[in-house]
Structures are given as structure tokens and as C-alpha cells.
Amino acid sequence: MRQAVAEERLDMAFVSHPGDDTVFENVAFARSPFVVVTPPNHPLAQKSSVTLRETLPYPFVYFSKRGGLRRPIDALFQKIGATPKIAYETEEDTVVAGMAAAGFGIAIVPDHPVLRCMDLKIIPLTAPDPGRTAYLCRKRGALQPTAAQRFFAFCQAQLSQGAAL
């Protein structure tokens, strides 16, 4: 998505990483926690919260390198000096969660209401800091339609007042 913004194929995009500040103008708009999802009968499903270190013995359904969530999850593992056991990789968070529900492995995903529609145990991740920030980004200096300019300005104004998008 960020590449499409850089190439001006998109006016702006919601992204997981802000990108280079010399190229992009970014507005942080949401911080959401990561959670561990498991099938209901998994050994971790009995816990009310878990640390990342507690997940290490289990195989993971993991985000592929093309997905925007791979880097922040990799960064969590880097913080504890560990590598997950990756059993399967895919790009979409609902597919990752669905595969976890089907027993292909456990997964770390952003907490989202759609998870509550699946046969999963959703377990808060407590350490390391499991949050991620999402951004609205646009290319600095790019000519944009008036509607895009107004939308970006609206988002900036709302967020500066503490509103959620």
C-alpha cells in the first residue's frame, strides 16, 4: 500500500508502518493490542493472559513476509531474542485466525471483533508490549484531489482533538 502511495497510484492509505518521514506524511490513528488465538482445547486456552515466551513451544500460523503485520510481530520476537516455530504462513488476519481455529497452530493477531465469531480462545498478550499503531499516510508534496486533501485534514484535526477514527 505504501508503495502505491509513493508511486502516486493511491492518494493515501491506512498502513501498519509509517514509512520514511522524508517521503510520507503520517498520521497515527489507532493503537490496538495483539492477542494470541488458539483452538478452545489448546493448552494455552486455559490461561487468562500469556507472555510471548509462553508461546514458544507451539507451532504458529504466521503472517507471510508480504503482509503488513509480519514486521511488528517479528519485532516482538526480536525483543525477547527468540524465533517462533512457523508451521504455516498467509497474509490475511482472518485466514490466520481461521487456521488457528482449525488447529493448524496458534497465532498472534490484532484484537478485532471478527475474532469473536470464530471458535477461538482469545488470550491477551502481556509481554513484551503487544500493541501496534496504525497510520494514515500520504506522499509529501504530491498533488491530490480536493476531496483527498480535505479527508486527510479532517483526520488530522480529529486526531489532534483525541477523537477515534
Side-chain angles (χ1 to χ4, degrees):
M1 297 292 283
R2 208 171 34 251
Q3 183 66 31
V5 172
E7 294 170 357
E8 297 184 33
R9 290 182 286 125
L10 293 175
D11 293 319
M12 64 193 74
F14 293 102
V15 296
S16 300
H17 302 284
D20 183 347
D21 281 339
T22 63
V23 176
F24 300 103
E25 185 175 0
N26 301 290
V27 176
F29 72 90
R31 182 153 172 84
S32 60
F34 283 119
V35 293
V36 175
V37 292
T38 70
N41 61 348
H42 192 275
L44 291 177
Q46 309 309 313
K47 296 184 154 287
S48 59
S49 66
V50 294
T51 66
L52 192 59
R53 200 162 292 289
E54 290 175 286
T55 68
L56 292 174
Y58 305 101
F60 274 84
V61 179
Y62 212 74
F63 288 95
S64 69
K65 291 180 180 173
R66 291 176 20 144
L69 291 170
R70 175 67 176 251
R71 287 197 312 176
I73 295 172
D74 280 349
L76 291 175
F77 282 99
Q78 289 171 359
K79 284 181 183 178
I80 66 166
T83 303
K85 295 177 186 175
I86 300 173
Y88 299 94
E89 292 184 14
T90 188
E91 287 182 41
E92 298 296 324
D93 43 353
T94 54
V95 175
V96 169
M99 289 179 71
F104 288 95
I106 65 172
I108 296 172
V109 296
D111 194 2
H112 190 277
V114 75
L115 298 176
R116 282 131 188 97
C117 299
M118 298 180 181
D119 191 21
L120 288 168
K121 172 67 181 197
I122 303 164
I123 311 163
L125 185 61
T126 59
D129 175 17
R132 76 168 179 127
T133 301
Y135 301 86
L136 176 61
C137 80
R138 69 178 177 182
K139 184 176 179 184
R140 289 190 184 280
L143 294 176
Q144 293 190 318
T146 302
Q149 293 172 22
R150 288 182 179 163
F151 178 74
F152 197 86
F154 170 79
C155 291
Q156 283 181 309
Q158 291 297 307
L159 293 166
S160 70
Q161 297 172 14
L165 293 183

